[in-house]
Amino acid sequence: MEMSGIRYSLEQTNLRVRLRYFIHRVGFRNLVLHLLVLMTSLGQINYVISALRLFGRSRFLIKNLLNPLWAVAVSDLFIRKLEGCLLCTSLLRRMKFFAPDWSAIYSYFHIWICGDYEKLVKPKKGSIVIDVGAHVALFTLKCLMVYESALVIAVEPHHDNARKLHANVFLNGLSNKVILVEAAAGAKNGRAKLYVS
C-alpha cells in the first residue's frame, strides 16, 4: 500500500515538473493567448476540426487532442487538406503556410510558439539570414515577419519542400525578400544522397 502512495506522489511530482517546464518553454504570454482562443466556442470548434484534419480518425486522435503541445500548436491554426498537403492559416500570427504533414505543425510549435531557434541566434532588423535546411520556410517567414530581416537565403535540398517553401513565401507576400537555393549545404562541392524519413 505504501509503495503505491510513493509511486502516485512521484507521478504527481513528475507531472508538475513537466507542466512547469512546458509553461517555461512556451512562455506564459503565449500560453495565455492560446488558452483564451481555446476558451471560445469558435476556438474549440476550430481546434477539433483542425485536429481531425491533422490526425484523422486514428486511435491517436484523443491522445493528441489532450496533449498540451498539440493543443497549443493547433489552437490558432485553421487547417485544410489540399491535394496531399495541409494549408494552415494562423489566426494569431496572420500568416499562411503549406505543410507536407503533421511534422511541420510540430516545427511550427518549436519555431513560432517556443522560439527555439532564437535560443541559438536572434536575427536583427535589416539583417541577412541564411536558413540552411529551410524545410517549408517557417523560420524564413518568422525572420521576415517578426524580426524584419532584409533578406533570407533559404537553402532546401528536398524538391517538394522547396516547392512548398516557394509557395509559402509567395502566400505571405515576401517573394522579393527570399532567395531560394534548392541544394544541400556541405563542406565541399559534389553530389550526395538525400535520405527522407
Side-chain angles (χ1 to χ4, degrees):
M1 197 63 136
E2 196 174 314
M3 285 299 273
S4 64
I6 292 170
R7 187 178 310 125
Y8 175 74
S9 177
L10 287 173
E11 286 171 1
Q12 219 177 11
T13 303
N14 189 24
L15 184 63
R16 267 191 251 123
V17 168
R18 287 173 56 201
L19 185 61
R20 196 174 303 132
Y21 176 71
F22 182 79
I23 293 169
H24 174 74
R25 292 246 355 262
V26 170
F28 186 73
R29 189 176 142 265
N30 258 339
L31 191 59
V32 168
L33 194 61
H34 287 268
L35 287 175
L36 285 173
V37 170
L38 275 171
M39 288 170 85
T40 67
S41 56
L42 187 61
Q44 291 168 4
I45 291 167
N46 176 61
Y47 176 53
V48 171
I49 290 170
S50 291
L52 277 167
R53 289 178 179 159
L54 191 61
F55 302 112
R57 295 184 190 273
S58 71
R59 60 184 178 163
F60 301 110
L61 176 64
I62 299 299
K63 179 182 173 186
N64 288 329
L65 273 172
L66 299 175
N67 184 323
L69 181 149
W70 293 110
V72 170
V74 180
S75 65
D76 84 304
L77 291 177
F78 179 70
I79 299 172
R80 289 178 280 179
K81 283 193 173 186
L82 289 175
E83 298 182 25
C85 70
L86 305 167
L87 174 59
C88 306
T89 304
S90 173
L91 307 172
L92 295 173
R93 290 165 179 83
R94 294 185 298 154
M95 69 166 221
K96 294 180 178 185
F97 64 94
F98 285 102
D101 55 28
W102 63 266
S103 65
I105 310 302
Y106 188 75
S107 297
Y108 171 79
F109 173 79
H110 287 285
I111 294 168
W112 277 86
I113 297 170
C114 292
D116 286 346
Y117 287 24
E118 290 90 325
K119 291 171 184 160
L120 299 173
V121 64
K122 196 174 204 173
K124 292 181 176 54
K125 184 176 181 174
S127 62
I128 296 174
V129 176
I130 301 172
D131 187 1
V132 178
H135 194 232
V136 294
L138 291 173
F139 186 64
T140 296
L141 291 172
K142 189 169 185 184
C143 289
L144 296 168
M145 296 171 84
V146 175
Y147 296 108
E148 300 175 11
S149 299
L151 176 73
V152 176
I153 300 166
V155 181
E156 176 53 51
H158 190 274
H159 179 69
D160 290 341
N161 286 343
R163 284 180 43 221
K164 286 177 183 69
L165 185 153
H166 180 73
N168 290 340
V169 169
F170 179 78
L171 264 176
N172 292 284
L174 298 166
S175 296
N176 61 335
K177 295 185 173 191
V178 176
I179 297 172
L180 171 59
V181 179
E182 196 174 329
K188 58 185 179 180
N189 289 335
R191 298 180 69 81
K193 281 188 178 182
L194 177 65
Y195 294 96
V196 180
S197 63

